[in-house]
Amino acid sequence: MAAVHITGYHTCKKSGGKAEVVKNAPFLSRSGPKQWLTQGYYFWTDSDHFAHKWGQNSYNNSYAILECMIEVDEKLLLDLVGSTADQLYFDKMLRIYKDRLKSAGQSESATVSAVISHMRELTKDYPGTFPFAAIKAQDKLRRPEISFNGGREMMPLGIQRLQLCLFENFIHLLKSKNIVHPSDFV
């Protein structure tokens, strides 16, 4: 099985100081429905660009960024950005989830977090249902588009916000970590 190597950038508060960040980061997200990809360790992938944006907006410019090397078996990564097969798998899981809600007479709307949460719960009783250690996804920002060849097919322009959520039981897939921001922590 082939390993996928991902560079991830974890943004966190710097209020505990350098020693706190070195010892304890990355930090596990809180649980709950507000999590994009359920509970886990969150990383912006490939660049620290959005890690800085997150720190500026969410931590009022008082933040640290940890650059991490993550190595995950490709079969344990649900890649909703770069794998059509994985996107089809998620679409199937979404349809199953919606059908279960409908048959139970529930009017709750399906969210990414709810679908993943449901699948993670199912795998406790049905091993292999959701065999993933991490999920890579993107959100859709309003971006301009450009036509490929003057036709209707369009390519979105701008920078994609890609995130990786590494689930709690798979923190051992984190192979290295280094503080890259702020400069006095480096």
Side-chain angles (χ1 to χ4, degrees):
M1 292 186 227
V4 177
H5 301 269
I6 299 166
T7 303
Y9 296 88
H10 178 78
T11 310
C12 60
K13 293 178 187 177
K14 71 174 191 174
S15 57
K18 180 180 178 179
E20 171 75 9
V21 173
V22 168
K23 181 179 178 188
N24 296 314
F27 296 98
L28 186 65
S29 69
R30 294 184 191 128
S31 63
K34 295 256 185 206
Q35 297 303 312
W36 289 12
L37 304 168
T38 69
Q39 187 176 29
Y41 299 94
Y42 279 80
F43 302 91
W44 299 100
T45 65
D46 309 318
S47 167
D48 65 355
H49 176 79
F50 286 111
H52 282 287
K53 297 269 186 216
W54 190 262
Q56 292 160 1
N57 296 327
S58 298
Y59 298 124
N60 199 25
N61 276 323
S62 183
Y63 63 97
I65 297 175
L66 201 64
E67 179 184 68
C68 300
M69 296 301 144
I70 302 153
E71 186 179 305
V72 59
D73 184 292
E74 66 185 351
K75 294 196 182 301
L76 297 179
L77 174 64
L78 181 60
D79 186 353
L80 300 178
V81 178
S83 169
T84 302
D86 287 359
Q87 292 167 9
L88 288 167
Y89 174 85
F90 184 79
D91 185 62
K92 179 181 176 184
M93 296 300 103
L94 174 60
R95 283 184 276 124
I96 289 169
Y97 181 74
K98 283 182 174 181
D99 288 346
R100 288 193 177 181
L101 285 177
K102 188 176 178 180
S103 67
Q106 295 178 352
S107 60
E108 176 187 333
S109 63
T111 64
V112 172
S113 182
V115 172
I116 294 168
S117 228
H118 179 73
M119 299 315 297
R120 287 181 73 186
E121 280 298 314
L122 272 181
T123 206
K124 291 176 183 174
D125 294 328
Y126 305 100
T129 304
F130 194 81
F132 303 105
I135 300 176
K136 188 174 182 181
Q138 70 177 349
D139 64 337
K140 181 182 176 188
L141 294 177
R142 293 185 181 166
R143 298 185 301 203
E145 299 172 322
I146 185 170
S147 172
F148 282 101
N149 58 9
R152 294 185 337 187
E153 294 84 6
M154 305 295 280
M155 181 182 87
L157 295 174
I159 304 167
Q160 297 177 9
R161 290 184 356 148
L162 305 177
Q163 277 206 324
L164 179 91
C165 178
L166 180 65
F167 297 133
E168 182 176 12
N169 295 341
F170 296 95
I171 190 65
H172 65 278
L173 300 177
L174 186 75
K175 299 304 176 186
S176 68
K177 62 181 187 175
N178 297 300
I179 297 175
V180 295
H181 178 83
S183 58
D184 60 322
F185 278 25
V186 176

